[in-house]
Amino acid sequence: MRSTFGGIEIAKRSLFAHQAALTTTGHNIANANTVGYSRQVVNMVASRPIEAVGLMSSNIPGQMGQGVEFDYIKRIREGFLDKQYYNENKSYGQWTTRRDTLEKLETIINEPSDTGIRQVLDGFWNSWQELSKQPDNLETRAVVKESALALADAFNHAARQLKDLKQDLTDNIDVKVTEVNSLLNQVAALNNEIFRIEGLSNDANDLRDQRDVLLDTLSKIVNVTVTEESDGYNVRMGEVQLVQGATATPFTLETVNAGYVVDGSGNLNSGELFGLRYSRDKLVNEYQNQLDSMVSTLVSNVNTIHSQGFTQKHPVVAGGDFFVYSPPTATVTSLSERLRVNTTITDDVENIAASGKTYVDEAGVTRVVKGNNDNALALATIRNQKFTFDSSGIEKIILNGGTFDEFLRAVVGEIGVQTQEAQRQATNQQILVEQVDSRRQSVSGVSLDEEMANMIKYQHAYNAAARALTTYDEMLDKIINSMGIVGR
């Protein structure tokens, strides 16, 4: 025989189930703009039915339904799209870092412009050309000195900017290492908390979302591979274990150095950290070396020719070195930053060797032909000569068999091409990241229209269950209070 109160239980279960659905819908609406939030749904199932009571078996056909229950609240998330996002995000992090570095290099080189090294270098050659017209004019010699000082200062300034850029990249690497450590510790802590909560048969949906947001951030910094195991996410960088369950491996500069290979064949092969190391050790170093190569070749040839000439001093004094290098220190090592004009030139412009000839006077004394301009002309013509540039310490010289102007143009052109490539790659990767994220949002994101429709649906179901409960209550009232009173 059926229970008189069975209908009340069915209605009660329906109320509870649809109340949970309404609460979850409200939670979704509240987090519609929360970064990384995955919409949640209540999974409703029919309650286990019962058979009608009988001595052996019931003669009543069928089983008696017992209403509805919800067995879990799950978040809608597609793991495949997460892995695609990690793969695209790491490349995006690498190329944006390289693009930013190359754009800064373009600013440092500052070519083509009216204030860059090429302009100063042209002024240096022009000053020698003018000196060849008036070799004994002190004002013209002073112009040569000032143009040389300007040239040395231009190289010094560019070298210091490159050094500062390298230091900025180094500091940024340290910051990123600290950030990775923080992210890994948070992921490990969430692994532990999620394992504890879900071990009690509860759903840790919001904690899982927090963990996925952390991995989204981490995937832009280093290349990560994520697999889900019983104790949480297992996070690796190549062959390096970063997180296993509740344990996070300390991430240090040694980890970065050991995993970095310039061609990307190491454990650290992408992401912002790889881009920072590549930018510092490859891009900035390369252009510092190219600049040093140009300075070394320039100094060598100018000094050689200048030392073959003669100053205006008497007795006859050979020209000596026009440019010199200051002693290297722990922080100043590049030739470009150490370039100086010889103090003998800056102290007395008569020590500029413009003349290339001497003569013996009637008294048998050797004197300089002061009106001679052979050496000044020889120094001026360096501008149009082609050189084999100094390639010591350089992986690949950017140009050989060209003039100084052509060499500098080649450097500028190389930076321009690399910057365009980095900008193109960064833009493409940004589009890919946005496409994958858009697909994730189409699966996991909250649609307010859909949630409003669900709210109305669950509200009507809740109202109907409440109405059914009221009906059962009225029926029971009739049985309890109105039956068996006839004839009293």
Side-chain angles (χ1 to χ4, degrees):
M1 179 176 180
R2 300 171 186 171
S3 170
T4 308
F5 296 93
I8 292 180
E9 179 64 23
I10 291 173
K12 184 200 76 171
R13 289 180 179 177
S14 179
L15 286 171
F16 286 174
H18 288 96
Q19 184 181 36
L22 281 168
T23 301
T24 302
T25 301
H27 185 53
N28 287 341
I29 293 171
N31 287 280
N33 297 312
T34 300
V35 175
Y37 178 80
S38 303
R39 66 187 177 94
Q40 300 175 14
V41 296
V42 175
N43 189 59
M44 296 187 185
V45 295
S47 298
R48 182 175 179 180
I50 62 171
E51 293 184 4
V53 179
L55 185 60
M56 297 294 292
S57 63
S58 173
N59 293 323
I60 300 175
Q63 293 179 317
M64 299 304 297
Q66 296 301 299
V68 66
E69 296 175 345
F70 66 95
D71 56 353
Y72 59 85
I73 301 173
K74 67 176 180 179
R75 64 177 191 146
I76 306 302
R77 191 85 179 190
E78 180 58 63
F80 173 71
L81 293 177
D82 285 334
K83 291 182 179 179
Q84 278 192 322
Y85 185 85
Y86 301 154
N87 286 333
E88 300 301 342
N89 205 27
K90 66 182 182 182
S91 296
Y92 179 54
Q94 176 196 170
W95 283 108
T96 52
T97 303
R98 289 172 64 170
R99 177 198 62 195
D100 293 345
T101 302
L102 285 163
E103 287 175 350
K104 290 174 183 175
L105 280 172
E106 279 190 323
T107 304
I108 291 171
I109 299 301
N110 194 26
E111 294 290 352
S113 73
D114 295 332
T115 56
I117 293 178
R118 282 185 61 237
Q119 190 71 20
V120 179
L121 189 59
D122 283 344
F124 178 67
W125 303 131
N126 290 338
S127 67
W128 283 108
Q129 189 71 41
E130 291 301 315
L131 182 61
S132 69
K133 298 175 184 178
Q134 306 176 71
D136 1 339
N137 188 292
L138 292 180
E139 291 181 2
T140 310
R141 286 171 172 267
V143 171
V144 172
K145 180 193 77 172
E146 293 301 326
S147 64
L149 288 171
L151 181 62
D153 185 63
F155 280 116
N156 295 164
H157 182 63
R160 282 193 294 269
Q161 286 185 303
L162 289 173
K163 183 176 70 175
D164 291 343
L165 178 56
K166 284 182 72 174
Q167 186 58 50
D168 290 343
L169 291 169
T170 299
D171 293 342
N172 207 355
I173 289 172
D174 294 337
V175 170
K176 290 299 178 182
V177 168
T178 302
E179 185 178 355
V180 169
N181 259 319
S182 175
L183 291 169
L184 294 178
N185 288 328
Q186 291 179 70
V187 170
L190 285 170
N191 275 346
N192 185 54
E193 188 66 11
I194 291 169
F195 180 76
R196 184 188 66 81
I197 292 174
E198 296 186 347
L200 300 174
S201 299
N202 294 318
D203 298 306
N205 294 321
D206 294 330
L207 293 180
R208 282 180 170 270
D209 285 342
Q210 292 177 28
R211 185 174 62 180
D212 287 336
V213 169
L214 294 174
L215 286 168
D216 285 351
T217 304
L218 183 64
S219 68
K220 189 177 181 181
I221 303 174
V222 295
N223 51 290
V224 292
T225 304
V226 182
T227 55
E228 186 165 7
E229 299 179 355
S230 60
D231 56 350
Y233 279 171
N234 179 359
V235 184
R236 303 179 71 88
M237 182 188 74
E239 299 299 321
V240 179
Q241 185 77 52
L242 300 180
V243 177
Q244 176 68 59
T247 304
T249 304
F251 193 84
T252 62
L253 280 174
E254 287 70 24
T255 309
V256 175
N257 296 335
Y260 172 78
V261 180
V262 69
D263 62 0
S265 60
N267 289 315
L268 177 63
N269 55 46
S270 197
E272 290 177 337
L273 261 177
F274 179 85
L276 289 169
R277 278 295 307 268
Y278 185 89
S279 296
R280 185 190 69 181
D281 300 341
K282 175 70 174 175
L283 298 178
V284 180
N285 258 358
E286 178 181 338
Y287 289 107
Q288 179 65 75
N289 291 338
Q290 300 291 350
L291 206 61
D292 281 354
S293 172
M294 182 177 179
V295 167
S296 175
T297 305
L298 175 71
V299 169
S300 174
N301 284 275
V302 169
N303 284 351
T304 298
I305 294 177
H306 189 263
S307 62
Q308 292 171 357
F310 303 98
T311 70
Q312 286 190 315
K313 299 293 184 179
H314 183 77
V316 174
V317 178
D321 288 340
F322 190 89
F323 290 111
V324 294
Y325 298 114
S326 65
T329 66
T331 57
V332 180
T333 57
S334 71
L335 298 180
S336 305
E337 191 173 0
R338 293 162 47 210
L339 179 64
R340 303 286 186 272
V341 179
N342 199 329
T343 53
T344 59
I345 304 295
T346 57
D347 292 344
D348 188 353
V349 293
E350 287 192 347
N351 288 320
I352 296 175
S355 175
K357 289 184 179 179
T358 59
Y359 70 98
V360 179
D361 62 11
E362 295 176 352
V365 178
T366 304
R367 297 183 180 273
V368 176
V369 180
K370 293 188 177 181
N372 183 266
N373 65 356
D374 289 352
N375 215 46
L377 277 176
L379 285 163
T381 56
I382 292 179
R383 162 191 276 174
N384 300 317
Q385 294 178 19
K386 297 183 182 294
F387 297 96
T388 299
F389 288 88
D390 183 8
S391 60
S392 57
I394 301 179
E395 182 179 337
K396 181 183 177 182
I397 196 73
I398 204 164
L399 175 71
N400 253 329
T403 64
F404 286 105
D405 186 67
E406 290 170 341
F407 183 88
L408 196 54
R409 285 176 182 270
V411 171
V412 173
E414 182 81 4
I415 293 177
V417 170
Q418 289 185 336
T419 303
Q420 286 182 343
E421 172 67 7
Q423 290 171 338
R424 184 184 68 82
Q425 291 282 13
T427 301
N428 289 344
Q429 283 303 131
Q430 182 179 9
I431 293 171
L432 289 172
V433 168
E434 289 174 350
Q435 284 180 343
V436 175
D437 192 48
S438 177
R439 290 171 61 191
R440 286 203 309 181
Q441 289 301 315
S442 68
V443 174
S444 303
V446 175
S447 167
L448 291 177
D449 292 337
E450 182 181 352
E451 297 302 325
M452 289 300 292
N454 286 339
M455 185 188 303
I456 294 170
K457 177 176 68 173
Y458 296 140
Q459 180 188 11
H460 285 319
Y462 186 89
N463 291 341
R467 181 60 185 164
L469 185 60
T470 301
T471 300
Y472 290 130
D473 179 62
E474 292 174 352
M475 291 169 58
L476 287 170
D477 178 67
K478 175 61 71 174
I479 294 173
I480 295 169
N481 296 316
S482 302
M483 287 180 66
I485 61 172
V486 178
R488 287 186 183 181

